[in-house]
Amino acid sequence: MRRRLVCGNWKMNGTEEESAALAASLLPLLAPLGDRLEIALAPPFTSLRTVGEKIQGSRIQLAAQDLHPASHGAFTGEISGRMLTALHVRYVIVGHSERRRLFRETNEEIGRKAAGAAAAGLVPILCVGEDEAERLDGRTLGVIEEQLLAGIARLPSTGGDTLVVAYEPVWAIGTGRTATPDQAIEAHRAIRSCLARRAGEDAAASIRILYGGSVTPETATAMLSRPDIDGALVGGASLVAESFAAITRAAAS
Ligand code: PEP
């Protein structure tokens, strides 16, 4: 049985003080849900320590939004997996479409980041998803498969405790246009069958596949009541405590 996961991606929002305030308002709302599903918060790097301190002792996990594949070295401005595990980070988002699009990250580089995460003892949340032109061209499943295979290519093992995949159609991220549950399910099934071919049925059955893309309290129930959808990666709505809590409650029920 896969334990559902809801992860809030705060992106580049919030000073350390603002992040602490958001974590403090989330804590009483999320704490009662912690025995029913897994919850993770991905604040900016500069807020990881403070948010980590706020959620210490709760069942909420800490996540990071990116990492460099290497453990250390002359990479000015970068953050390694080793630095993240030292802050008690458990998950790290890799291959987010904003990183792919705005920072030109390639499938190959994302595969190296996922491997760097695994080497540091982190669980990568590997984001995959088609853009609008690719969907209109009928290339959705091919694009997802290509991103997925490159993303996991260097992982030493692929199973429920070592990898999370997030299906995030690019056209749905931050646009208010959520995929329909049927569109998401088609992609999730394709992802799981690709994982099964690569890692075996048992490993594939244990990996959580999240949906991300304009999830709101209004759309969460329809999406998260479907058994193929193991949780959500939430951007904009994760910055409002009551909205993120409502989405998390929908995933828990
Ligand atoms: C995201 O950034 O991963 C995301 C899903 O954003 P939003 O919920 O704002 O679409």
Side-chain angles (χ1 to χ4, degrees):
M1 185 67 182
R2 297 184 295 270
R3 190 168 161 77
R4 292 189 146 201
L5 169 65
V6 177
C7 179
N9 173 13
W10 295 1
K11 311 195 188 194
M12 196 179 72
N13 291 294
T15 62
E16 197 177 3
E17 203 179 330
E18 289 160 352
S19 298
L22 179 54
S25 46
L26 281 167
L27 207 51
L29 302 173
L30 300 181
L33 305 170
D35 55 353
R36 286 196 269 155
L37 83 173
E38 214 176 336
I39 304 164
L41 302 178
F45 288 130
T46 47
S47 298
L48 280 170
R49 178 180 290 280
T50 301
V51 172
E53 283 167 4
K54 284 271 176 227
I55 62 178
Q56 200 173 10
S58 76
R59 299 178 69 180
I60 302 169
Q61 305 275 0
L62 201 54
Q65 299 175 17
D66 189 27
L67 83 167
H68 189 278
S71 64
H72 63 278
F75 303 105
T76 301
E78 294 293 304
I79 303 283
S80 75
R82 194 166 156 265
M83 295 169 182
L84 298 175
T85 35
L87 290 173
H88 309 291
V89 171
R90 172 156 174 75
Y91 293 101
V92 59
I93 299 168
V94 297
H96 191 281
S97 68
E98 286 152 16
R99 304 280 336 160
R100 292 177 188 269
R101 189 167 44 90
L102 303 172
F103 301 96
R104 304 268 184 272
E105 287 190 11
T106 62
N107 278 337
E108 207 266 330
E109 193 174 357
I110 290 158
R112 285 193 287 112
K113 288 190 172 195
L122 297 160
V123 179
I125 300 178
L126 171 65
C127 300
V128 298
E130 82 288 0
D131 66 22
E132 181 141 49
E134 290 161 344
R135 175 162 282 271
L136 293 174
D137 265 7
R139 293 196 289 128
T140 296
L141 301 185
V143 167
I144 292 173
E145 185 159 323
E146 197 181 341
Q147 293 175 346
L148 180 66
L149 289 174
I152 65 175
R154 295 163 189 259
L155 289 180
S157 68
T158 326
D161 291 337
T162 56
L163 174 68
V164 174
V165 178
Y167 168 57
E168 297 211 305
V170 179
W171 48 270
I173 296 179
T175 59
R177 289 171 60 201
T178 317
T180 64
D182 287 342
Q183 285 172 325
I185 286 166
E186 182 192 33
H188 283 222
R189 289 188 178 158
I191 290 167
R192 202 171 301 287
S193 87
C194 181
L195 289 169
R197 273 179 271 126
R198 166 71 209 274
E201 293 283 346
D202 289 351
S206 69
I207 293 169
R208 288 166 296 178
I209 306 175
L210 315 182
Y211 169 78
S214 295
V215 177
T216 62
E218 292 70 38
T219 58
T221 302
M223 191 64 86
L224 295 168
S225 59
R226 310 291 284 259
D228 290 288
I229 298 173
D230 302 317
L233 182 54
V234 185
S238 72
L239 295 170
V240 180
E242 188 39 64
S243 298
F244 187 65
I247 292 167
T248 309
R249 281 194 291 272
S253 57

